[in-house]
Amino acid sequence: MKSQAEDPKAIAGKRRNCWTSRAGRRTWAAAVIVAVGMVFAFLLGDLEQGVAGGAFMRALWLFPLWAVGLYLAYRRNGPPSISVEGPQVALFVVLLLYLISPTAHAPDFFFLNWFSDSAWTPAKSWLERTLLCAGALLVLRSYGRVPVLIVLLVALLSFQISALHGLLQASGGEPLYRVDHPSFFYRLWSWGQTAPRFIYYDPYWNGGSVMPYLVASGVMAPGFLLWPVWRFLETVHSYTPALGFLFLFLVPFVAALSARAVTRDRAAWVLAALLSLGTSHFTFIHLVHYGTFGSLLAASFLLPVSACLYRLIVLRHNDARTWIALTVSAAVVLCWPPAGIMVLPMGVMLLLHARLLTPRLLWGGGIVVLLLAVMFVLPALSLWTHSDIGGFTQSDPPATAIGLWSGGWRELSELVRRTNPVILFAGTLGLWALPNRRMRRFYVPILLTSLLVAAFAKDWKPLLQLDRMWINALYVGILPASLVVGRLLRQHRMAARTLAALLCALSIMTGYTAVKYMSNEGRARYNTMSDEMKTIVHWVRENVPADGRLLFAGAAVHGYGGGKVAALPIFAEREMMAADYYGFSPRLVEYDYPPAEFRREGPEKMFRFMELYNVTHVITYHDAWKDVLRQRSQYYREKVAFGDKTVFEVLRDSDMFVQGAGRLDVQLNRIRVFPADPDASLVIKYNWVDGLSALPASASVSPWETGTSVRLIHIDPGGADQVDITYPRWF
């Protein structure tokens, strides 16, 4: 009879136990951390750069500080036990390698000035500053967690105040005027005039049209949260301070509350607030450079959404406050409709937790969905009935499998290296470094699904910008990252202390990074309205008749001060005409102006366009358009030049009436007409839109055909001395 030691079943059982036991699971965790960490550090970076060994050697002057910190940790608990602390040791090593790897050499690496190329001076590079801070925290940790917590809290408050001061000082308090900032400025100004309407008739651009863009652009998030600001204060004075308040104070506060919902660890609360100051280089690009901050603000509330779901599903805290917080947070998220795509990674997580979804949770979730449907039925109908969604989302040429793979791998590299390393490592790999299976099963599916979709689906539908899903997911990643670092801070073992010190230092550097970007010292720059644009605005206000219109010939793009021209009617107090005053998709708008119907059929037809819309002046920076206007001197006269921009006067008298006479008082969603003769019909040079109506009831409005695609507004005053034309529809 064979002994038990020779029994194949017993041997196989022992082999299984060596991998499923606690020590075996730690070995697996360490292996996962090392493998994924090496991919982050080397395979996704430019291997030609190599490891920055020289930069690491320059930091050796910090060795005495680290030696003291390590000695104090060693004296308390002895050397790290690989069998117990293997995953934490592995995470520390791969994180350190990542910080000196080819990935960190990339120009779009999250931190600024990571390696110093100039003559060496102590702590000049941010790598050395991080290691200096980490060494100091490691020493400080030997006196308990409270001193470290105080340092983190002081750093948070200092960076918030410094960043706001830097933003206001760099901008002078003026509205930011880069890329889409003028568009969002104009939308927020419009929101203050029209809320709670989501569609309205805008007479200030292109002769009047119905605007549905408040819903799709994400303006509803800052619009609702700061409605009194937009309604009662001048947008020109409140825009930049409001932006600073939202992202330097409100978002960190929400992050801290989210952490508080799932843990009592005060350090995790502070760390969550610190990390919310900067999740990715992409975040800063969209915030200060592109100006699309409405979507960022909406996405930041994915953090409390995930916290509430974790509290309900995993922690089993099924209380009314959590359901209310979930509903409110989800509502803010949906203020930017494309954020709804996060249902995909959230759905993957819910499928993996299907056995925990009790009938009470399902009923509660159904009620939340119903409430959200009721809240957003009006915005959804407004967008659906007034936007060419099909034209925007029409099929792209199919990409090949090889193209999707190569493009996806390239995008994956870009997404990873631009991500805050604390969220990247502590928020994902850190979940393997600690024995917290519940948190790992909850957050890893969300983050992994988001990363893969963002990387490999971008080239499938480029116009949908699916890569922004990773920006959204990084706000979710703040919570596991802060919980992991907070838990490491509570431990006394040497590896945990050392790893916590490095991660806390990187979190502090996150706040410092935010200060630099807000002070306009980062890689994503912003500007206010240039002196040239201020001169143009002043000239337009002084020389264009009060009832005249200024037309931008050709595409405007960012040629007027680095931003869209959307906000210029507010500054110049004149109505304007342009093809791309917003960042319209080229699939929806021809990037040339006037429309082809008028510019391609001879000079008389184009001049007819000027008459139909009462255009009195034309401005352009396109040389081809300058030549065209100069050649037609019988219609246009060159007036003044501002750099590469030239203004032409249209040789016609300004008159907003095609028929009749009177006076106009115009504002958003209302054109007030004072007829010179209340019994005579009028035609005004504003576009007819189906759905326009007139008050009083005795008056009426109808379309007036021009023989072209343009239809103007015909008015029958019905004897009224005053006629108000409005767009009363809500969807």
Side-chain angles (χ1 to χ4, degrees), residues 453-470:
V453 172
F456 291 96
K458 179 184 178 181
D459 290 341
W460 172 59
K461 285 285 187 181
L463 282 177
L464 294 182
Q465 299 181 4
L466 293 175
D467 55 314
R468 296 184 67 174
M469 182 184 283
W470 182 238

Side-chain angles (χ1 to χ4, degrees), residues 48-61:
E48 295 182 0
Q49 294 287 348
V51 176
F56 189 74
M57 295 298 292
R58 288 180 176 183
L60 287 180
W61 63 276

Side-chain angles (χ1 to χ4, degrees), residues 507-527:
S507 300
I508 291 174
M509 294 303 293
T510 298
Y512 187 51
T513 302
V515 172
K516 289 297 183 181
Y517 275 100
M518 287 295 183
S519 301
N520 210 21
E521 298 175 9
R523 288 189 293 265
R525 296 299 183 99
Y526 60 81
N527 55 264

Side-chain angles (χ1 to χ4, degrees), residues 655-677:
D655 188 357
M656 289 298 289
F657 292 85
V658 179
Q659 291 181 7
R663 182 169 58 87
L664 299 176
D665 178 21
V666 178
Q667 65 181 43
L668 290 179
N669 213 43
R670 193 214 69 193
I671 302 174
R672 180 163 290 169
V673 184
F674 300 92
D677 182 356

Side-chain angles (χ1 to χ4, degrees), residues 170-191:
S171 66
E174 297 180 18
L176 304 189
Y177 200 85
R178 184 75 176 182
V179 190
D180 278 329
H181 275 294
S183 299
F184 274 80
F185 175 93
Y186 187 69
R187 289 166 182 159
L188 287 169
W189 175 83
S190 302
W191 176 268

Side-chain angles (χ1 to χ4, degrees), residues 389-417:
I389 300 176
F392 180 76
T393 58
Q394 59 183 293
S395 298
D396 297 285
T400 64
I402 296 177
L404 288 175
W405 171 258
S406 60
W409 188 258
R410 183 172 57 253
E411 185 67 21
L412 179 65
S413 172
E414 186 174 296
L415 293 173
V416 166
R417 70 172 178 263

Side-chain angles (χ1 to χ4, degrees), residues 295 299 302 336 338-339 341-342 468-477:
S295 60
L302 286 164
W336 182 52
I341 199 173
M342 291 301 293
R468 296 184 67 174
M469 182 184 283
W470 182 238
I471 301 178
N472 301 342
L474 287 177
Y475 282 107
V476 176

Side-chain angles (χ1 to χ4, degrees), residues 247-297:
F247 288 91
L248 297 176
F249 293 93
L250 179 62
V251 172
F253 179 70
V254 170
L257 285 182
S258 302
R260 186 179 182 275
V262 298
T263 182
R264 297 178 180 179
D265 187 354
R266 289 179 172 82
W269 306 352
V270 179
L271 285 163
L274 266 173
L275 293 176
S276 70
L277 293 175
T279 59
S280 167
H281 177 57
F282 278 118
T283 306
F284 291 118
I285 290 176
H286 285 280
L287 178 60
V288 299
H289 183 74
Y290 290 156
T292 53
F293 68 88
S295 60
L296 287 179
L297 183 62

